[in-house]
Amino acid sequence: MNNEFFVSCPVGPENLLKQELLDLGLNSEVIVKRGGVQFKGLFRDALSVIINSRIASRVYHKAFAFTFGVEKDLYDKALEKEWDQLIDPWQNLKISTLVDLEGKKKFPNTKFLSLKLKDAMADFFINKHKKRPNVELDNPDVSILLRIDKKENSRKFIAQVYIDLCGIPLSNRGYRFEGHTSPLRENLAAAILAYMNYDSSKGLIDPMCGTGTFLIEAIYKHFNIVPSLKRIESFLENEDKAWNFLKYKKFKSELPVNKIHQILKAIYMQNIKKLELIPSKQLFVGLDNDENSLKMTRKVLRKLKLFKACRIENSNSLKVNLSQYNVDTLIVNPPYGERMNQQDENQLHFEFAENLKHSFKNRTAFIFTKKDLHKNISLTAKRKIPLKNGNIECRLLEYQLY
């Protein structure tokens, strides 16, 4: 039986995500939507996306859908659903609601819609099982997304109930140490690397590498290491520390936990062997003038057994001669936003571009930065790709240096 799934991602790289799914062999009704991709398949297919996708944020299973007009209709229609197919009465849950533009006019209070759905679920369980699930906002067994969209050519709305199979976002790879943060989510970094379409065998340099997000994602991709490797490792050590699909009744009915364990252990062993075969060739170069960031980057690279593929140095990107590094492609995410004031942002971008002109000739540079900061870069961009870093409007800029 084919199920319907929705794979979310940052706004912008939806077509890259679609190609990822096609490359995984998922070719059944793969449709691009804003903020993600919809596909039909088995829970085994959803597991493949969760494990292998570098760009996905979350994977959702579409459990129920129904049409309604007002809040009371939402309650009545939801009460008719067999919720014990999805969740046991002793489990806890969390409900979030998203509405489209038309829905916001009709239902400005999304928390009230979540409450109506929760009430319907609670009453269903009380009526049938004399016990109901509890609400848990921080660490729920089952996380539910209620999506409300206006029905075309109608005054009514379509309610779609999705189950989050991930819990912790897939961008959280599991390789960061506690307190170790990055201004760039890992899946956005992976999407940027995919947009670049560069030849990684000719090396990559990040002259403002910070905590190494671009480097780690690039090495994982180059050596075909699954992005979820550390989360698989956590699962094999303790099954409670992994993904929410392990607590989802429908998922486990197709793939029991022991079967999931077999699949993930095989993937883990294959990838550990790949790590052992990584040559001591420093194709990937990371520079930064913040030694504390570099210490953390080195620590993570050693933890991931990737350090031998990297060259990490303390250096000033505005002055260093970049031509001394035997690489053909550069990627950089200069500081911006909360990290700097506007005058410093402008000056940094100008000075870095001047250094690029002189020290990275006959090569390709990509700069990912806040929208409009490219005005301070006195180079002509070959491509300008609009993306968002959180709520910040950004651009990925490609420059051919001559």
Side-chain angles (χ1 to χ4, degrees), residues 232-378:
I232 295 175
E233 185 176 88
S234 295
F235 165 78
L236 295 175
E237 293 173 354
N238 183 348
E239 292 174 3
D240 290 334
K241 295 182 178 180
W243 304 273
N244 274 18
F245 65 75
L246 295 160
K247 301 176 183 178
Y248 182 38
K249 289 180 70 174
K250 280 200 168 185
F251 199 105
K252 292 190 294 183
S253 66
E254 181 186 314
L255 281 176
V257 174
N258 63 337
K259 183 63 176 176
I260 295 170
H261 197 282
Q262 292 173 10
I263 293 170
L264 296 187
K265 186 172 183 179
I267 294 171
Y268 180 76
M269 296 308 298
Q270 290 167 4
N271 282 267
I272 290 298
K273 288 180 181 177
K274 291 178 186 177
L275 288 175
E276 293 170 352
L277 295 174
I278 291 178
S280 297
K281 188 176 181 181
Q282 296 174 328
L283 288 170
F284 302 89
V285 180
L287 311 177
D288 207 282
N289 61 359
D290 183 346
E291 186 57 35
N292 289 329
S293 294
L294 292 180
K295 284 180 181 178
M296 185 60 71
T297 300
R298 294 186 188 103
K299 188 177 179 181
V300 173
L301 288 167
R302 289 190 178 98
K303 173 184 177 181
L304 298 178
K305 298 181 172 57
L306 303 177
F307 193 72
K308 58 187 175 182
C310 275
R311 179 176 177 179
I312 305 295
E313 294 181 359
N314 189 318
S315 185
N316 185 341
S317 62
L318 306 183
K319 298 178 180 179
V320 64
N321 180 6
L322 295 167
S323 64
Q324 68 182 287
Y325 302 100
N326 188 28
V327 296
D328 282 5
T329 306
L330 177 148
I331 176 63
V332 66
N333 175 216
Y336 54 81
E338 295 180 359
R339 295 181 282 169
M340 299 187 77
N341 62 49
Q342 186 172 347
Q343 183 176 349
D344 289 341
E345 287 176 347
N346 295 342
Q347 187 66 23
L348 174 68
H349 283 70
F350 173 78
E351 291 185 21
F352 179 69
E354 292 303 301
N355 189 29
L356 271 183
K357 287 181 189 178
H358 299 103
S359 69
F360 209 65
K361 291 180 179 180
N362 302 316
R363 303 176 200 186
T364 305
F366 292 86
I367 300 177
F368 178 66
T369 192
K370 188 171 66 174
K371 181 183 177 182
D372 295 335
L373 281 176
H374 71 278
K375 295 175 182 177
N376 301 288
I377 300 172
S378 54

Side-chain angles (χ1 to χ4, degrees), residues 30-45:
V30 181
I31 302 170
V32 171
K33 302 282 187 178
R34 178 174 168 80
V37 175
Q38 174 185 302
F39 77 95
K40 290 186 177 179
L42 304 173
F43 283 106
R44 181 183 290 271
D45 299 320

Side-chain angles (χ1 to χ4, degrees), residues 111-170:
K111 289 184 179 180
F112 187 67
L113 295 175
S114 297
L115 181 63
K116 281 296 179 183
L117 180 60
K118 186 268 294 179
D119 289 345
M121 293 179 66
D123 290 346
F124 167 85
F125 277 102
I126 292 294
N127 294 339
K128 189 171 181 180
H129 299 280
K130 310 302 179 188
K131 180 177 174 60
R132 48 158 288 184
N134 292 318
V135 172
E136 171 58 60
L137 300 181
D138 294 328
N139 188 29
D141 296 316
V142 178
S143 184
I144 296 173
L145 173 65
L146 173 63
R147 186 180 180 94
I148 306 294
D149 295 295
K150 183 74 163 54
K151 188 175 182 180
E152 192 173 353
N153 300 320
S154 172
R155 293 183 178 180
K156 294 192 173 183
F157 293 82
I158 300 172
Q160 299 175 88
V161 177
Y162 289 93
I163 307 299
D164 175 13
L165 302 179
C166 300
I168 298 172
L170 297 178

